[in-house]
């Protein structure tokens, strides 16, 4: 009987031995050697690209100079255009052309601006010679031209959307400002200040314009007048005289408290609208300034122009933080991405470069 019970328990004994051998083989102590501690895994996050790193270069081979490049409000695409009278909408991440808009009667595209909801694109056109031109409203999701606003004397020098997208303010080459309904095209008001620039305040209450009013005693200098228009009453809210050279660009800060002005004498001014006083004067540019833009948070300012560089400086101190030097020709337009992380700059050779902002 005893022998028989041993036989019956044999499978259990064999199984126990097998388990012991397996555990021994997997034990951290084997042949008298102690294994190292169990390694830990650390996820390594790649460092963000350094400021100035070029992420995308877009080139339309038939465009000639690219005069305007504007980000979509979601930051995913850019609309750009120039001397070939065509507007290209392209993907920022891939550089793929999404849509091509034409039908602008052989005029070149002088200005491009997205509606704030991203549904429409406004395009201003001009001709190489003095000739009446038009402004167009495009559908951002198809290739349709939704609206044409005509009879701009000498072409469209500038155009901006109202913050609620209901209206557009456009400026013709003779200095007249037109306010019109962005859906019907009906003109609701016009100003005739012989303006050279215009900007609609982000709070929607004011339109600012700049214009030269008389010759100065100094050769090639003119006295410049800044006019602030109340958009509700269409009356002049305030007028300020600036003893400066002609203004090249004009833009509001995000809080509608200040104006960024650049002049022909390479001077940059940040100007307090309520007091009329200069908050900052910046004079580090070596060439004519063609474009200037606030960062979305209002802390930085970018300048670009004839010297083929983009200068970025602090709005409060004027301290230059970074200079982008990858362009090989004059830069006509500079624009921050909506989140402030990237910049798009377009040049005389037809290139649009997307790069990391400082």
């Amino acid at each position: 009987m005893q022998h028989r019970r041993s036989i019956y328990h044999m499978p259990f004994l064999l199984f126990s031995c097998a388990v012991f051998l397996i555990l021994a083989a997997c034990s951290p102590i084997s042949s008298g050697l102690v294994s190292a501690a169990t390694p830990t895994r650390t996820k390594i996050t790649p460092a963000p690209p350094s400021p100035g790193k070029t992420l995308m270069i877009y080139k339309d081979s038939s465009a000639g100079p690219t005069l305007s490049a504007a980000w979509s409000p979601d930051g995913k695409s850019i609309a750009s255009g120039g001397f070939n009278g065509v507007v290209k909408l392209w993907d920022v991440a891939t550089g793929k052309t999404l849509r091509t808009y034409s039908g602008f009667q052989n005029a070149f595209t002088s200005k491009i601006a997205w509606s704030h909801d991203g549904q429409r694109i406004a395009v201003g056109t001009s001709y190489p010679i003095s000739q009446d031109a038009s402004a167009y409203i495009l559908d951002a999701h198809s290739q349709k031209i939704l609206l044409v606003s005509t009879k701009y004397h000498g072409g469209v020098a500038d155009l901006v959307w109202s913050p609620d997208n209901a209206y557009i303010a456009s400026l013709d080459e003779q200095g007249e400002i037109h306010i019109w309904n962005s859906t019907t095209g009906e003109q609701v008001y016009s100003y005739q200040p012989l303006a050279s620039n215009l900007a609609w305040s982000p709070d929607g209450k004011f339109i600012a314009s700049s214009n030269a009013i008389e010759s100065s005693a100094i050769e090639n200098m003119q006295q410049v007048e800044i006019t602030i228009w109340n958009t509700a009453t269409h009356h002049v809210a305030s007028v300020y005289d600036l003893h400066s050279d002609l203004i090249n660009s004009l833009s509001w800060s995000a809080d509608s408290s200040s104006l960024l002005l650049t002049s022909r004498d390479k001077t940059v001014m940040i100007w307090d609208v309520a007091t009329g006083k200069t908050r900052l004067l910046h004079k580090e540019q070596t060439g004519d300034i063609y474009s200037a833009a606030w960062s979305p948070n209002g802390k930085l300012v970018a300048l670009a122009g004839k010297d083929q560089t983009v200068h970025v400086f602090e709005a409060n101190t004027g301290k230059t933080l970074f200079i982008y030097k990858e362009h090989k020709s004059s830069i006509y337009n500079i624009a921050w991405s909506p989140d402030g992380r990237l910049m798009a700059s377009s040049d005389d050779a037809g290139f649009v470069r997307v790069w990391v902002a400082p």
Side-chain angles (χ1 to χ4, degrees), residues 39-47:
T40 58
R41 295 181 179 179
T42 302
K43 184 178 180 180
I44 299 176
T45 303

Side-chain angles (χ1 to χ4, degrees), residues 323-345:
I323 302 176
Y324 183 73
K325 301 179 179 180
E326 297 302 313
H327 285 274
K328 307 303 180 186
S329 60
S330 297
I331 303 170
Y332 289 127
N333 190 86
I334 181 72
W336 297 80
S337 63
D339 62 7
R341 296 180 179 181
L342 302 175
M343 306 202 75
S345 46

Side-chain angles (χ1 to χ4, degrees), residues 234-245:
H234 304 299
H235 294 157
V236 174
S238 53
V239 178
Y240 299 94
D241 291 338
L242 300 178
H243 295 279
S244 174
D245 208 336

